[in-house]
Amino acid sequence: MKPLLPNVLTQRWRGRPEEDNSELEAQPPAKVLLPGTTGSLTRRTLIKLAVRIAGVIVVSTTISYFHMISSFKSQTLGQLEKYVEERVERENTIFALAETNQAVLKTELLRRLEELGDQDPKTEFDRLFARSPDGAIRNRSEIFDGTREAGVYIDKRVQLNADIRQRVLTFYQLANMYGAAWHHQLQNTYFTLPENIMVLYWPQVPTWAADATSDLSMPDQEYYWAANPKHNPAQETVWTGLYYDIVGKTWLVTCATPVSRNGKPIVTLGQDITLDELLNRTIHDRLPGAYNMIVRSDGRLIAHPQRTAEIQAKKGEFDIQQSGDRHLKQIFQKIQTLRSGQVIIDNAQHDEYLAVAKIKGPDWYFVTVYPKSILAQPAFQTARIILLLGFLSLLLEILVLFFVLRQQIAKPLTSFMQATELVAAGDFNMQLDESRRDELGHLGRLFNSMADQVYSREQSLEQAREKLRRNNEELELRVLERTTELSLVITQLEDEITERREVESALRDSETQLKEQALQLQQALQDLQSTQAQLIQTEKMSGLGQLVAGVAHEINNPVNFIYGNLTYINRYAEDLLDLVQLYQQHTIEKIPAVEAQIEAIELPFLVEDLPKLLASMKVGAERIRQIVLSLRNFSRLDEAEMKPVDIHEGIDSTLLILQNRLKVQPHRPEIAVVKEYGELPLVECYAGQLNQVFMNILCNAIDALEEDYEQRSLANPATIPSITIRTTTHKATVLIDIGDNGPGMSETVKHQLFNPFFTTKKVGEGTGLGLAISYQIVVEKHHGQLRCLSTPSQGTHFLIEIPTAHKAIADQSATENPAGEKSAIASLTE
């Protein structure tokens, strides 16, 4: 078979012997005829094959899907069981530690009580504890530090006796010793006595005993009654449920161990475990798609990702049986039927698996709820991929079959159909394939013979039409070229005019901008010079603050060490002196060597002077602590944001730093400071910057008083330099008035007072930036006012008015100003 063009129909006319074919040979090749739609036989065959193969693919994919679900189920449930067991083993650690600690503490407690016998430690008891105004007995506030010692609360109705004092002191000592050692692992350690007495070591809540109200009844709390004989006949270590501590204001669970002596309950040991981390891990540390919960064996819900608010609202008493939640009830019923060694439960009613493991100690169950839909997702994804690959294979098979049927059957039939349509439309310029040796080849020869007879007529007519078409196209092309050239010329002229106008406008705008930029540069240069100088002064003050804070920090640590141990040194010294006195009273025979040593060291003087020496050391240490506190308050390096602070504290800290300049000097007497403080609320401000303002104003006042003292003392020898500080409130603002009885200033000086670089001091003694920076801090940073009232020879007053809070700024501008009300400074200046 000779090769054919893709459409089977080809250009036929190569000329006949009896005709002139010169014009025909010059014509372009005949057009290629594209195949039409395939016959219905081919389509039906392809559809039947596709349906059968698709059925096989769907069946095999379904079988694979169920097989993979079975495999994934076995693997996933094994991993889920291991996950829950590992989680519970990790959570058991803290509960087991608490039970072990209390067993050790119980043994040591009984041992110490046996050693004490019938002693009555009344002296030591009265030294450590005292009755409060509400009637309850608590630690003495002057020597108590709740961050390092146990707090003691004794009900006001308790009648003290030797037994109670002995137990309270013993428990107090044990709490200080063991509570500090266990604090990094457990929240607290405490002893609850049946007489409504509590001894508690809880550094995070150092004021627990002080905050406990006089009507507090600890026997009514679960952390006590859960361990009493009525609820715990075996007198073993027990755990409470989740409860809210009304004094510490936190959610806890308590490990409680009852202790009896001679068959009588004497105390209940307790250690609290905060549940924040456990609850947070339970809710957030979970498997993808699953969630965790904790349930107590009596039906209390401890943790649930969607029930946290309800558990807190019910103060830890969320009963699943009374909740009305069918899903939670079903889970709890499944947990109750859990067999020994079983971890995985199939909760078919809610289409999920439950992985359950018991937390030792508090009798809780850790439950992971794992929806079955998560298990089916990987199998479904794999089955979908298999199904997709099957259908892609089906598509390739259909394409191969389509290509074979198209080439061998559909394409020849389509060629005959197209030839018939062309003849019906009057187009005979085609040729059917005559090389085939079957019926299709014979039909093609007959069809070509019929088409040859009319081809020459149609060809001549087509040539005439083509010539006319070319003439028309040439004419249209010439007209289009002329029109295009004219349009281009017009467009170029319009663009040139527009461009010249834009250039002229741009030149005018550029000239205006250059003038404005020159003015802006000149102003920016002035601002830059002023800002540079202010920044230098601010950095100096910041460096001074950092130096002060560093020195305060370095001094604070050793001073706190000395101050904290003075109490114990005083106690030990008293004990030693008491021992010496007791020894002298009970020693009848005097030993010469001892008597000689007593006389050599002057023992009576030492006994009398040692307490005084220790008291002096305590006063000195307390003074150093106050100075360090003032330095830290003044520096305030850790307060970079606005915070509510005590203005009086900042003023006092500044005065303490300037105390050396206020003292008596060789050239002048002491500068008196008169404080007339009003009742001020806490003010939201930048404390460090505001202290800098106080420092600048007070330093200027001291300088003015020193310069003026010699002249004023000659005219009025009785004049004493003084500084008066008054504070008061005015609606949403506070007013600070700092005045002196110095020389005052003229109107000219007063008008330039807050300008940068303006100073009345000698060259080299002042920068002229202190009051400029103070003005910027008060007005720009705190949206307040800073005014100066001064008259020559009448002294000077600086008035500072700042709002108590940020919100007060907007309220003041929105409510006060429209009504025409005046600020406190405006009222004073009038």
Side-chain angles (χ1 to χ4, degrees):
M1 180 182 295
K2 70 178 182 180
L4 299 175
L5 294 176
N7 62 348
V8 181
L9 298 177
T10 59
Q11 177 68 36
R12 175 176 182 251
W13 304 109
R14 288 181 294 273
R16 297 179 180 177
E18 68 275 15
E19 295 180 1
D20 183 10
N21 298 317
S22 59
E23 293 183 1
L24 297 178
E25 292 176 355
Q27 297 301 320
K31 61 185 177 180
V32 176
L33 301 179
L34 297 175
T37 57
T38 60
S40 59
L41 178 62
T42 304
R43 185 165 55 250
R44 285 198 302 271
T45 302
L46 291 175
I47 291 174
K48 290 180 180 180
L49 287 173
V51 170
R52 286 175 173 80
I53 297 174
V56 174
I57 293 173
V58 171
V59 172
S60 62
T61 302
T62 303
I63 295 173
S64 300
Y65 171 75
F66 286 106
H67 173 71
M68 285 184 290
I69 283 184
S70 178
S71 300
F72 288 150
K73 175 182 176 182
S74 176
Q75 181 181 0
T76 302
L77 293 183
Q79 295 175 352
L80 183 60
E81 180 176 348
K82 183 178 179 181
Y83 165 78
V84 172
E85 291 176 346
E86 291 177 350
R87 282 292 299 270
V88 169
E89 183 178 356
R90 182 177 64 180
E91 303 300 349
N92 278 335
T93 304
I94 189 66
F95 299 107
L97 178 63
E99 293 182 354
T100 303
N101 290 346
Q102 292 197 4
V104 174
L105 187 58
K106 178 179 178 181
T107 303
E108 179 64 15
L109 181 151
L110 293 174
R111 186 188 67 80
R112 290 201 178 192
L113 290 178
E114 288 295 332
E115 291 179 353
L116 288 175
D118 297 330
Q119 297 180 15
D120 185 1
K122 185 176 184 304
T123 303
E124 180 66 12
F125 184 91
D126 293 339
R127 188 183 67 82
L128 294 174
F129 313 113
R131 192 171 298 276
S132 302
D134 60 359
I137 297 176
R138 298 181 176 88
N139 304 73
R140 289 187 179 273
S141 59
E142 63 270 16
I143 63 173
F144 176 62
D145 184 359
T147 61
R148 294 182 296 176
E149 302 177 44
V152 175
Y153 170 86
I154 302 177
D155 190 274
K156 61 184 180 182
R157 294 164 293 185
V158 175
Q159 297 296 325
L160 296 178
N161 54 41
D163 177 62
I164 291 178
R165 285 190 287 266
Q166 185 183 90
R167 281 187 287 157
V168 170
L169 275 177
T170 300
F171 302 155
Y172 172 77
Q173 295 168 358
L174 290 174
N176 289 337
M177 178 184 299
Y178 288 95
W182 294 334
H183 174 61
H184 66 285
Q185 294 175 318
L186 296 171
Q187 182 77 7
N188 53 32
T189 301
Y190 56 91
F191 303 77
T192 308
L193 282 68
E195 295 87 353
N196 198 24
I197 299 174
M198 172 71 80
V199 178
L200 170 65
Y201 182 86
W202 196 353
Q204 278 76 14
V205 189
T207 60
W208 191 96
D211 295 340
T213 58
S214 60
D215 59 350
L216 176 63
S217 178
M218 284 168 286
D220 296 336
Q221 304 299 323
E222 185 179 1
Y223 57 76
Y224 179 81
W225 60 253
N228 64 24
K230 178 180 178 181
H231 297 87
N232 183 21
Q235 292 293 280
E236 298 176 345
T237 299
V238 296
W239 290 85
T240 68
L242 177 68
Y243 71 95
Y244 184 77
D245 186 83
I246 58 177
V247 180
K249 298 179 178 55
T250 183
W251 289 96
L252 305 169
V253 62
T254 298
C255 177
T257 300
V259 181
S260 299
R261 187 183 183 190
N262 299 325
K264 177 183 177 183
I266 60 172
V267 71
T268 297
L269 308 181
Q271 286 183 306
D272 293 338
I273 298 177
T274 56
L275 298 180
D276 294 343
E277 294 183 2
L278 175 60
L279 298 180
N280 185 61
R281 287 196 304 269
T282 301
I283 294 174
H284 298 98
D285 186 4
R286 57 184 177 83
L287 295 175
Y291 65 90
N292 303 322
M293 57 187 292
I294 297 178
V295 181
R296 192 175 173 180
S297 59
D298 61 358
R300 285 199 214 177
L301 186 62
I302 304 300
H304 192 284
Q306 298 175 355
R307 299 283 185 171
T308 302
E310 296 181 48
I311 295 172
Q312 294 179 354
K314 295 182 179 181
K315 298 183 178 179
E317 299 291 337
F318 188 101
D319 191 348
I320 293 177
Q321 300 291 358
Q322 304 298 327
S323 65
D325 190 326
R326 294 182 179 180
H327 189 195
L328 285 177
K329 288 183 179 180
Q330 180 71 19
I331 292 176
F332 183 65
Q333 292 173 2
K334 293 287 184 181
I335 295 173
Q336 289 179 316
T337 60
L338 188 69
R339 299 187 304 273
S340 177
Q342 182 183 3
V343 177
I344 304 300
I345 301 176
D346 186 3
N347 189 8
Q349 183 176 352
H350 291 88
D351 197 26
E352 62 192 11
Y353 291 106
L354 305 177
V356 184
K358 189 172 183 179
I359 300 177
K360 298 179 181 178
D363 200 20
W364 293 350
Y365 289 94
F366 183 92
V367 184
T368 295
V369 182
Y370 195 90
K372 293 182 179 180
S373 59
I374 302 176
L375 190 64
Q377 288 178 359
F380 178 78
Q381 294 292 339
T382 305
R384 185 169 63 178
I385 294 174
I386 294 174
L387 185 62
L388 180 61
L389 293 176
F391 278 112
L392 288 176
S393 301
L394 174 62
L395 179 60
L396 292 176
E397 293 174 1
I398 295 300
L399 290 176
V400 171
L401 289 173
F402 172 77
F403 181 79
V404 172
L405 293 175
R406 178 176 178 272
Q407 291 296 115
Q408 299 299 325
I409 298 175
K411 193 171 182 179
L413 291 177
T414 302
S415 299
F416 283 116
M417 292 172 62
Q418 290 177 347
T420 304
E421 292 172 357
L422 291 173
V423 171
D427 187 4
F428 297 93
N429 188 18
M430 48 68 189
Q431 179 182 12
L432 293 176
D433 185 14
E434 301 177 0
S435 61
R436 300 183 64 134
R437 300 298 180 181
D438 52 12
E439 293 81 2
L440 293 176
H442 181 66
L443 182 61
R445 287 190 291 272
L446 294 177
F447 195 90
N448 290 336
S449 177
M450 178 186 64
D452 289 343
Q453 297 179 9
V454 294
Y455 181 78
S456 59
R457 300 176 185 176
E458 294 291 334
Q459 189 68 19
S460 299
L461 181 60
E462 183 67 24
Q463 290 177 357
R465 290 174 179 173
E466 181 67 19
K467 187 175 182 180
L468 180 61
R469 184 184 61 80
R470 290 179 179 177
N471 291 335
N472 289 335
E473 289 178 354
E474 184 177 356
L475 181 60
E476 291 175 356
L477 182 61
R478 290 179 180 176
V479 173
L480 180 62
E481 289 177 354
R482 297 292 178 87
T483 303
T484 302
E485 291 176 357
L486 183 59
S487 299
L488 289 174
V489 172
I490 294 174
T491 302
Q492 290 176 355
L493 290 175
E494 292 176 350
D495 292 344
E496 185 176 354
I497 294 172
T498 302
E499 183 178 358
R500 291 183 178 180
R501 290 177 178 175
E502 291 177 351
V503 170
E504 183 179 356
S505 177
L507 288 174
R508 288 196 297 267
D509 294 340
S510 176
E511 183 180 1
T512 302
Q513 291 177 358
L514 288 174
K515 292 180 180 179
E516 293 176 353
Q517 290 177 355
L519 294 176
Q520 292 175 357
L521 288 173
Q522 184 177 2
Q523 182 63 33
L525 180 59
Q526 296 176 357
D527 295 341
L528 181 61
Q529 293 174 346
S530 175
T531 304
Q532 181 182 12
Q534 293 182 12
L535 285 176
I536 292 172
Q537 182 67 14
T538 302
E539 286 300 318
K540 289 181 180 179
M541 292 302 298
S542 175
L544 176 60
Q546 292 178 357
L547 177 61
V548 168
V551 172
H553 177 72
E554 293 300 326
I555 295 175
N556 189 49
N557 290 334
V559 168
N560 281 341
F561 173 81
I562 295 171
Y563 184 83
N565 286 286
L566 282 176
T567 301
Y568 298 103
I569 293 174
N570 191 25
R571 186 191 310 168
Y572 299 157
E574 290 177 358
D575 293 340
L576 290 174
L577 294 176
D578 292 340
L579 178 61
V580 172
Q581 184 178 4
L582 184 64
Y583 179 82
Q584 289 177 338
Q585 293 175 356
H586 292 82
T587 301
I588 300 175
E589 182 180 356
K590 296 184 179 181
I591 302 173
V594 174
E595 293 296 318
Q597 184 65 23
I598 290 175
E599 185 175 356
I601 64 175
E602 297 181 356
L603 181 61
F605 174 78
L606 188 148
V607 171
E608 179 182 359
D609 188 64
L610 182 58
K612 297 178 181 180
L613 177 63
L614 293 175
S616 300
M617 292 175 64
K618 186 174 182 180
V619 171
E622 179 64 29
R623 175 61 177 166
I624 295 174
R625 289 184 64 193
Q626 292 177 358
I627 294 173
V628 170
L629 179 61
S630 299
L631 291 175
R632 295 180 64 184
N633 288 337
F634 177 79
S635 62
R636 300 228 182 223
L637 295 178
D638 56 340
E639 296 182 5
E641 301 178 352
M642 274 200 171
K643 293 183 179 179
V645 299
D646 186 352
I647 294 296
H648 293 158
E649 183 179 306
I651 297 174
D652 292 340
S653 299
T654 306
L655 289 172
L656 184 60
I657 293 172
L658 295 174
Q659 188 65 37
N660 188 54
R661 295 198 61 190
L662 296 172
K663 293 180 179 179
V664 177
Q665 302 293 333
H667 58 279
R668 62 161 175 81
E670 180 182 5
I671 297 177
V673 177
V674 181
K675 301 179 185 178
E676 298 179 5
Y677 289 170
E679 292 293 332
L680 298 185
L682 295 180
V683 178
E684 187 176 354
C685 65
Y686 296 101
Q689 296 183 9
L690 207 58
N691 289 344
Q692 182 180 347
V693 174
F694 299 150
M695 176 67 77
N696 290 335
I697 294 176
L698 289 172
C699 285
N700 286 341
I702 294 173
D703 292 340
L705 290 172
E706 288 181 341
E707 292 176 0
D708 185 60
Y709 176 73
E710 294 183 359
Q711 299 177 0
R712 294 186 62 180
S713 61
L714 294 176
N716 186 7
T719 301
I720 299 176
S722 65
I723 296 175
T724 303
I725 303 175
R726 299 183 179 90
T727 61
T728 184
T729 59
H730 179 73
K731 295 186 177 180
T733 63
V734 296
L735 179 65
I736 302 102
D737 179 1
I738 302 176
D740 60 69
N741 59 351
M745 62 185 73
S746 63
E747 289 295 326
T748 303
V749 173
K750 189 166 63 174
H751 288 159
Q752 303 181 62
L753 196 60
F754 299 111
N755 293 337
F757 307 110
F758 175 77
T759 180
T760 59
K761 299 179 181 179
K762 299 178 181 179
V763 177
E765 293 185 0
T767 61
L769 293 174
L771 291 179
I773 293 175
S774 299
Y775 188 85
Q776 182 183 23
I777 291 173
V778 174
V779 177
E780 298 180 11
K781 294 293 184 66
H782 293 83
H783 304 282
Q785 297 185 47
L786 176 59
R787 299 282 183 86
C788 176
L789 303 179
S790 180
T791 303
S793 302
Q794 298 297 322
T796 302
H797 285 264
F798 283 91
L799 304 179
I800 305 170
E801 184 180 18
I802 57 174
T804 58
H806 267 307
K807 185 174 182 298
I809 301 171
D811 295 343
Q812 185 177 6
S813 60
T815 59
E816 294 180 6
N817 293 340
E821 296 182 3
K822 298 179 181 179
S823 66
I825 289 182
S827 301
L828 290 174
T829 53
E830 291 182 356

